[in-house]
Amino acid sequence: SQNYIIEALKQIGNADIIIFSHPWIYPLVKDSLRPTQIVIYESHNVEGYLRTNLLDVNNLIQKDVLNRVVQDEYDLGCRADWILACSHEDLLRFNRIYDFSPEKIRVIPNGIMAFTNSPPTTPIKLDARLKFNINSDALVAIFIGSNYDPNIEAAQFIIQRIAPLMPEVIFIIAGGVGQNIFSNLNNIKITGVLDEAEKSHWYHTADIALNPMMSGSGTNIKMFEFLSYALPVITTAIGARGIECGALKPFIVCEAKVELFVESINSLKDYDIRNNMGIEGRKCVENNYSWERISNQLGIFLKSRKQIAGQSKPMFSVVVPTYERHLQLDNLISCLQNQVERDFEVILVDQSINKWKNSDVSFGFPLTYFHSPIKGAISARNAGATIAQGLIIAFIDDDCEPDINWLLNARQYFLDNSVVGLEGFIFSNCSHNDPEFRPVTNENFEGIGFMTANLMVRSVVFQFLGGFDLQFDNPHFREDTDFGWRLQEVGEIPYAKNVKVFHPAQSRLIERESELARSKFFKKDALLYKKHPLKYKELFHKEAHYKNTKYFIENLLIGFKSNNIEIPIWLRELT
């Protein structure tokens, strides 16, 4: 409406940051944007791609609509200082379709108010089933969606193809999707449009959730709702797109084939399996997809952008995850103050219980402090890289001491455009043979080990690769090696002996650093092998843990078994 345009123009005049949640309004207000204002396209989907799937290009009116959608989205993306994509898949699609650089795209996922509702207790579930006249012993599966073609397609798949084969299972089709579908099967319940309270009651009746989506873009909000109610989910890859749960396994992904969905539903008749998946789903949505936590991080992102509006981006963003090491952090900050190179910012992601007391102190360089309730070094590094504004992201540990010329010497390597990352030299203060300490060094492992205590990467490449893989978290191990190997597939990563960082050796008296505790980390090796079988074999023989590290083989085999990965013949012969 004209009133909307007038109000939008009025607010734009007073704003520091302009966020477009859709591209439609941009052509109507673009001439009022000032060069110094930060413009952000906060996309829900790649609209041009989505509308290509929804509109009929043989219809002249719909074809014209599509052309306008694509043009508006392209124009806004070009003008935007930053584009927020809701999934890494959409980031790649923006790059592929419009040639937008991943450097200015950040993945800020969709979410829900996860802490508003809690998973139902057994009495609450029984009351809900009594209310809707559902057998307390039946297995109940729920699908929910709006009156939208991809949702209708998924609902029909359940009603017409799955439900007839499983009369013992109750299938609930909830939401506006029910306006255009019908079934006379006794095991189908179609609710129609629901308010929030009604929707919550229907979720309370369910044991599992189904999401057989076969088309669409962006992420499915329904998936986050399912997980927040601790419902294990059976979904297609399209339904699960953009949802990263790391090592957690809250849903089963399968093709939209009847036999696969039936088999998966039958596997979830086991209460213990459902319960464990539900717990992991709730944890996943709390950590990664709750608006309560996403909005906090996004607020830090916007604040950091405002601070340097109108200025050039820094050369380096030093990203530091920290957890209960504030004294060591003070020492690291002192080393960064002494850097000869001055064109850098620092991003601290603090997962400690209490905030760092110096978070508001001025140290002579831009510092962004993010106090995160989410534990895990991989999550912290990815969060730091999301907030980072620099052209080069420099990762370092909170207990390290970088050389005074650390960043200055690194700069020269990135003058070569073929260089996508840099592996700096990490040295420690004891030998590998010292039984009382664990040295942290990459000496003699250059080009294959990779360690985030001294690892740099171009921001554009980090975003393109999707950051560190959360599968390697809790406890975090091998994520840096995996990332380094993926980085090598994109370009050159020189080993720089003059880009130095000191990492103190870790005392074996600390429980986490004991030989028994550290050996459990090798369960992650199975995942590393699965992703990079040839490189892992090379690393396996070079490190020779199978000869020198107690408990290594035992935990390695546990990792293969728990992840259902077949042990290769060469490894089986050694074990």
Side-chain angles (χ1 to χ4, degrees):
S1 68
Q2 191 61 36
N3 288 339
Y4 178 86
I5 303 302
I6 292 171
E7 185 63 25
L9 291 170
K10 176 184 173 182
Q11 297 301 331
I12 284 172
N14 299 323
D16 298 304
I17 300 172
I18 317 296
I19 301 176
F20 291 88
S21 267
H22 299 282
W24 330 124
I25 187 67
Y26 174 72
L28 304 178
V29 301
K30 64 181 181 181
D31 293 337
S32 298
L33 301 174
R34 302 190 303 274
T36 56
Q37 288 176 310
I38 298 170
V39 174
I40 295 176
Y41 173 27
E42 186 252 323
S43 68
H44 295 209
N45 309 277
V46 181
E47 296 290 352
Y49 172 79
L50 177 62
R51 306 296 156 171
T52 300
N53 292 322
L54 297 180
L55 297 173
D56 180 4
V57 295
N58 295 314
N59 180 299
L60 293 180
I61 295 176
Q62 293 191 38
K63 182 178 181 181
D64 182 54
V65 170
L66 176 60
N67 289 337
R68 289 168 183 263
V69 168
V70 171
Q71 188 64 55
D72 287 349
E73 186 162 56
Y74 176 74
D75 290 344
L76 173 56
C78 288
R79 172 60 180 87
D81 297 285
W82 302 95
I83 298 172
L84 307 184
C86 62
S87 70
H88 184 245
E89 180 184 12
D90 277 3
L91 179 150
L92 296 177
R93 194 167 279 142
F94 272 124
N95 174 245
R96 188 167 60 249
I97 295 175
Y98 297 114
D99 200 29
F100 296 152
S101 173
E103 185 180 336
K104 75 172 185 178
I105 308 176
R106 294 293 185 272
V107 175
I108 304 294
N110 282 323
I112 60 168
M113 299 300 289
F115 294 92
T116 301
N117 297 305
S118 301
T121 60
T122 299
I124 289 175
K125 287 181 73 70
L126 291 174
D127 285 346
R129 291 196 176 192
L130 183 63
K131 176 181 179 179
F132 295 119
N133 194 28
I134 295 176
N135 189 322
S136 60
D137 296 325
L139 183 74
V140 178
I142 190 169
F143 171 79
I144 192 166
S146 60
N147 188 20
Y148 166 60
D149 286 348
N151 286 331
I152 295 171
E153 181 183 30
Q156 295 286 21
F157 176 77
I158 295 170
I159 292 171
Q160 297 174 4
R161 306 195 60 194
I162 297 176
L165 299 178
M166 306 190 79
E168 77 283 6
V169 177
I170 304 297
F171 295 91
I172 299 166
I173 308 298
V177 67
Q179 292 175 307
N180 287 315
I181 56 178
F182 171 79
S183 174
N184 56 8
L185 293 176
N186 292 330
N187 63 332
I188 294 288
K189 290 183 178 291
I190 300 173
T191 71
V193 177
L194 302 170
D195 62 29
E196 288 301 312
E198 292 170 332
K199 182 168 67 172
S200 183
H201 288 316
W202 280 106
Y203 275 135
H204 290 166
T205 70
D207 297 302
I208 65 175
L210 305 179
N211 194 33
M213 299 295 288
M214 302 173 205
S215 60
S217 180
T219 49
N220 277 187
I221 301 298
K222 63 173 72 71
M223 285 289 291
F224 306 140
E225 291 189 344
F226 296 155
L227 299 180
S228 73
Y229 282 93
L231 294 173
V233 187
I234 304 168
T235 179
T236 58
I238 289 175
R241 65 190 177 277
I243 300 177
E244 300 289 342
C245 292
L248 302 174
K249 298 176 181 177
F251 48 77
I252 298 170
V253 178
C254 61
E255 295 180 58
K257 294 182 178 180
V258 175
E259 62 273 18
L260 296 179
F261 265 77
V262 169
E263 179 184 344
S264 297
I265 292 170
N266 282 328
S267 73
L268 293 181
K269 289 180 178 178
D270 186 304
Y271 172 81
D272 290 335
I273 293 176
R274 292 202 309 270
N275 187 56
N276 290 336
M277 288 179 66
I279 291 171
E280 295 203 338
R282 178 69 192 185
K283 184 176 180 180
C284 172
V285 81
E286 285 184 4
N287 286 351
N288 302 322
Y289 301 105
S290 62
W291 282 135
E292 296 93 334
R293 291 176 174 175
I294 295 169
S295 61
N296 184 26
Q297 181 179 337
L298 181 56
I300 298 293
F301 173 92
L302 297 177
K303 184 179 178 181
S304 68
R305 265 59 186 173
K306 181 177 178 294
Q307 288 175 340
I308 68 163
Q311 304 176 38
S312 59
K313 297 177 184 178
M315 178 69 176
F316 295 97
S317 290
V318 179
V319 172
V320 185
T322 185
Y323 176 68
E324 304 299 354
R325 281 178 172 170
H326 288 170
L327 289 178
Q328 291 95 324
L329 182 59
D330 289 339
N331 186 49
L332 169 60
I333 294 297
S334 178
C335 291
L336 293 174
Q337 283 182 292
N338 293 329
Q339 288 293 300
V340 174
E341 171 69 54
R342 303 311 301 169
D343 190 11
F344 70 93
E345 64 170 354
V346 175
I347 314 294
L348 294 183
V349 182
D350 189 356
Q351 300 173 322
S352 307
I353 294 174
N354 298 313
K355 290 184 66 174
W356 180 45
K357 65 181 181 180
N358 295 321
S359 59
D360 295 322
V361 174
S362 176
F363 294 102
F365 51 75
L367 185 146
T368 299
Y369 178 80
F370 176 36
H371 189 230
S372 172
I374 303 169
K375 301 297 184 289
I378 299 179
S379 294
R381 291 192 182 98
N382 284 342
T386 295
I387 296 169
Q389 302 177 80
L391 302 176
I392 309 298
I393 302 174
F395 294 101
I396 192 169
D397 291 350
D398 57 1
D399 56 348
C400 287
E401 298 176 11
D403 180 78
I404 193 172
N405 291 311
W406 178 52
L407 295 176
L408 180 67
N409 289 344
R411 176 186 279 269
Q412 62 179 312
Y413 292 91
F414 287 101
L415 297 177
D416 182 347
N417 290 331
S418 68
V419 171
V420 296
L422 183 69
E423 185 183 13
F425 174 45
I426 305 167
F427 62 100
S428 200
N429 55 342
C430 78
S431 71
H432 284 282
N433 297 322
D434 191 330
E436 296 184 7
F437 289 89
R438 180 178 69 86
V440 182
T441 176
N442 59 1
E443 193 167 16
N444 299 321
F445 285 91
E446 54 266 25
I448 190 167
F450 296 104
M451 301 171 70
T452 43
N454 189 4
L455 184 64
M456 301 186 189
V457 56
R458 292 188 190 273
S459 179
V460 62
V461 178
F462 185 89
Q463 311 305 335
F464 179 80
L465 292 177
F468 295 102
D469 189 339
L470 284 169
Q471 289 186 90
F472 294 93
D473 214 349
N474 296 316
H476 72 95
F477 189 60
R478 297 298 199 191
E479 80 282 357
D480 38 14
T481 305
D482 164 66
F483 183 77
W485 290 352
R486 288 189 283 132
L487 199 57
Q488 285 178 323
E489 296 173 359
V490 179
E492 299 297 321
I493 314 173
Y495 180 78
K497 198 82 182 236
N498 64 338
V499 180
K500 298 185 291 186
V501 162
F502 169 70
H503 195 308
Q506 304 296 313
S507 172
R508 291 291 190 183
L509 297 177
I510 301 172
E511 182 179 356
R512 174 185 166 88
E513 298 297 336
S514 68
E515 193 172 28
L516 176 61
R518 291 295 303 183
S519 65
K520 293 179 181 179
F521 288 22
F522 290 113
K523 295 174 185 177
K524 301 290 188 181
D525 276 31
L527 295 174
L528 192 63
Y529 162 77
K530 182 179 180 180
K531 294 186 70 174
H532 313 274
L534 296 180
K535 280 188 174 292
Y536 179 75
K537 183 177 181 180
E538 180 184 354
L539 179 69
F540 178 91
H541 288 289
K542 189 172 182 64
E543 289 182 335
H545 285 302
Y546 69 102
K547 295 179 182 177
N548 306 319
T549 303
K550 196 175 181 182
Y551 312 117
F552 168 76
I553 291 294
E554 173 187 337
N555 285 285
L556 177 67
L557 296 179
I558 290 174
F560 272 89
K561 182 177 180 180
S562 62
N563 288 286
N564 295 315
I565 301 171
E566 185 177 353
I567 301 172
I569 295 175
W570 64 265
L571 182 55
R572 197 179 300 131
E573 290 173 347
L574 291 171
T575 58

